Amino acid sequence: MRSAAVVAGGALLVGALTAIVFLIRAGGDPAGADTWPISWELRSSDNGVLFQVIQDIAAGRPLDWSFSPQVYVFPELPLSGVAFAVSAGNVYGYYLAVAALNMAVLFLCALALVRVLWPEHALGTSVLRALLGTVPLLVLPLIGTSWILSFHLAPSYYFGEYAALLLAPVLLLARTLPVRILTGAALALTIASNPLTLVFAAPGALAALVVGILRAGPRAVLRPVGWVAGTLLLAAAARLVFAPLQGISPLSYIDPDRFAGRLAVLWPYYAFQLRDPAAAVVLILGALLAVGCLLAAIAAAVLVVRRRGGAPARRLLAVVYLGLIPLGGIAATFFAMITHYYYFWPALVLPYVLVLLAVPMPAVSPALLGGLAGIVVIALATGAIPHLGSAGRYFGYRNAETACIDDALAGGSAVGYATFSDARRLSLTSRTPFRLIQLNTDGTAHEWLTNTAYARTDAGSFFYLNGSGDEPALDTARIRERFGDPDRVVACSATQEVWLYEDAGKLARISAFYRGRA
């Protein structure tokens, strides 16, 4: 009972600190990059997907959701369900709750890893080490000038992958069968939901396998290989079940032309991030720590093969696996031709966690006290007091576009159409409330990260045309050709308009077009 209380206390502490960090950043300038709860969480169309899924379930709407190659069934969907319930369906509270829950889960994964690597240590000591490992995951979002520093706090930016990469060694090192089975099931569901997990885990896992064979021969690795194979088979079976949810096959990402295009924007993206001094320091240091992790993995492999070093072989093999995740994982994405600038969290953020988890035991408590003091100092330096005082600006925040659409609809709830980049970010914070069905630029229904049942069951009455968005605006010529001129036009800015249709004949054509094509 006392052990459970200690673990729960650590998780609650991490969740509470995360909530404070979130609120500090939420109270900043809404236009600032470091005010990521507004400028990223509420703005990114990817972030609100699971909120909308739970919202549809709660409202009893028809469900025909189509995700991306990452289907986010586990662990993201259950966590989003809890966050939705805790926040009573409030989108602002939901993002706050998700951040706290994600961090609590990462703490528990770090604790599980620590317990199998240092089983001789008392639980309290292990909790302190796991808390130390979570410190950078609190500090970096507090700096928050690059969104990648906050990916682990978001509902659907590969969170399951991050947790699974830390948890994986528990599958082979746990002492009890029930723990191994539960870990294997969790890993299988996560891999089935987030195939990218396998790409980042594979180099380290294969290296640990080879090192294990070189040390003790093939027979010594048969049981670990069996556990891994069983987990992967379960993951494959789960993926078949999840397949109807994928909007596009993961294999479609493996394309030379797409790969070349993603590589072309990789350096410009991070060059832009490095223009901020704080982000430059954090990202460059993260890259250097990634190199350090690689060197540690190489050194551990040599020690295992030569049967040297005072640490147990299991710990050294874990170092081989974990140390290769940052750079080995990135190399694997190049090999698979799927590299994307969104995939660099394990290479630029995870190394901070791995290095602190490896701090020698006598230094854990002083390092943790220093880390907590650092959180306080950085929080004060980045405006904690005034930002907490103005955190209310986050709750109820609407951007000018959403306010314009709300006003155009004159308070009456309605359904309309917009591009993928606009639909979710504008509708989830509306007060009307209105809902926007995602369309491609040519005006056809968009079938990725959306409930495709919307177009079949809901008839829209307006279009939002955004000439200043993240993708080309809806084609006005095609809209006119199919449905005629709008009955009313509301200008939100020089490049943003709401086209409203009120004529019964035009509305019937809109309904017939989308319901007939859905």
Side-chain angles (χ1 to χ4, degrees), residues 35 53 111 154 192 221 243 263 324 339 346 446 504:
T35 312
V53 172
L111 178 59
V221 301
L263 289 183
L324 276 168
T339 308
H446 185 278

Side-chain angles (χ1 to χ4, degrees), residues 236-502:
R239 184 66 186 192
L240 291 176
V241 176
F242 299 161
L245 295 173
Q246 68 181 29
I248 188 172
S249 168
L251 298 179
S252 66
Y253 272 34
I254 304 175
D255 177 88
D257 293 333
R258 288 189 178 187
F259 181 53
R262 288 192 292 265
L263 289 183
V265 300
L266 191 61
W267 172 245
Y269 176 82
Y270 280 104
F272 178 79
Q273 306 296 317
L274 294 174
R275 291 169 58 183
D276 178 83
V281 171
V282 169
L283 296 177
I284 291 173
L285 179 57
L288 293 175
L289 291 177
V291 174
C293 289
L294 176 62
L295 295 177
I298 294 172
V302 171
L303 290 174
V304 172
V305 173
R306 293 185 176 181
R307 299 174 182 268
R308 296 180 180 177
R314 67 174 183 277
R315 193 180 305 162
L316 292 173
L317 286 171
V319 171
V320 173
Y321 160 73
L322 294 167
L324 276 168
I325 288 174
L327 296 183
I330 289 297
T333 67
F334 275 88
F335 180 77
M337 295 194 296
I338 60 171
T339 308
H340 194 288
Y341 53 73
Y342 279 166
Y343 298 169
F344 275 68
W345 189 96
L348 299 174
V349 176
L350 182 60
Y352 285 94
V353 178
L354 298 180
V355 168
L356 288 179
L357 287 178
V359 166
M361 189 59 236
V364 168
S365 293
L368 178 58
L369 290 175
L372 294 175
I375 292 175
V376 174
V377 170
I378 294 173
L380 293 174
T382 54
I385 295 176
H387 287 184
L388 284 174
S390 58
R393 73 176 68 180
Y394 163 75
F395 296 95
Y397 174 82
R398 285 187 309 165
N399 60 41
E401 297 165 79
T402 298
C404 176
I405 300 173
D406 277 333
D407 292 341
L409 298 175
S413 62
V415 175
Y417 303 92
T419 61
F420 165 79
S421 299
D422 291 331
R424 210 166 358 255
R425 72 177 183 88
L426 297 178
S427 61
L428 290 184
T429 58
S430 66
R431 295 178 185 172
T432 305
F434 61 79
R435 290 194 298 119
L436 292 170
I437 298 172
Q438 296 170 195
L439 299 181
N440 298 310
T441 300
D442 64 3
T444 58
H446 185 278
E447 297 183 348
W448 192 2
L449 293 177
T450 188
N451 186 348
T452 59
Y454 291 163
R456 296 194 299 269
T457 59
D458 298 322
S461 61
F462 68 95
F463 294 84
Y464 179 65
L465 309 175
N466 184 5
S468 303
D470 294 337
E471 60 185 297
L474 298 178
D475 190 329
T476 56
R478 296 197 182 194
I479 293 174
R480 278 197 170 97
E481 177 185 348
R482 292 165 181 160
F483 316 123
D485 289 328
D487 298 303
R488 190 158 54 96
V489 175
V490 175
C492 297
S493 74
T495 58
Q496 297 165 326
E497 294 181 336
V498 184
W499 283 19
L500 297 108
Y501 287 81
E502 298 166 347

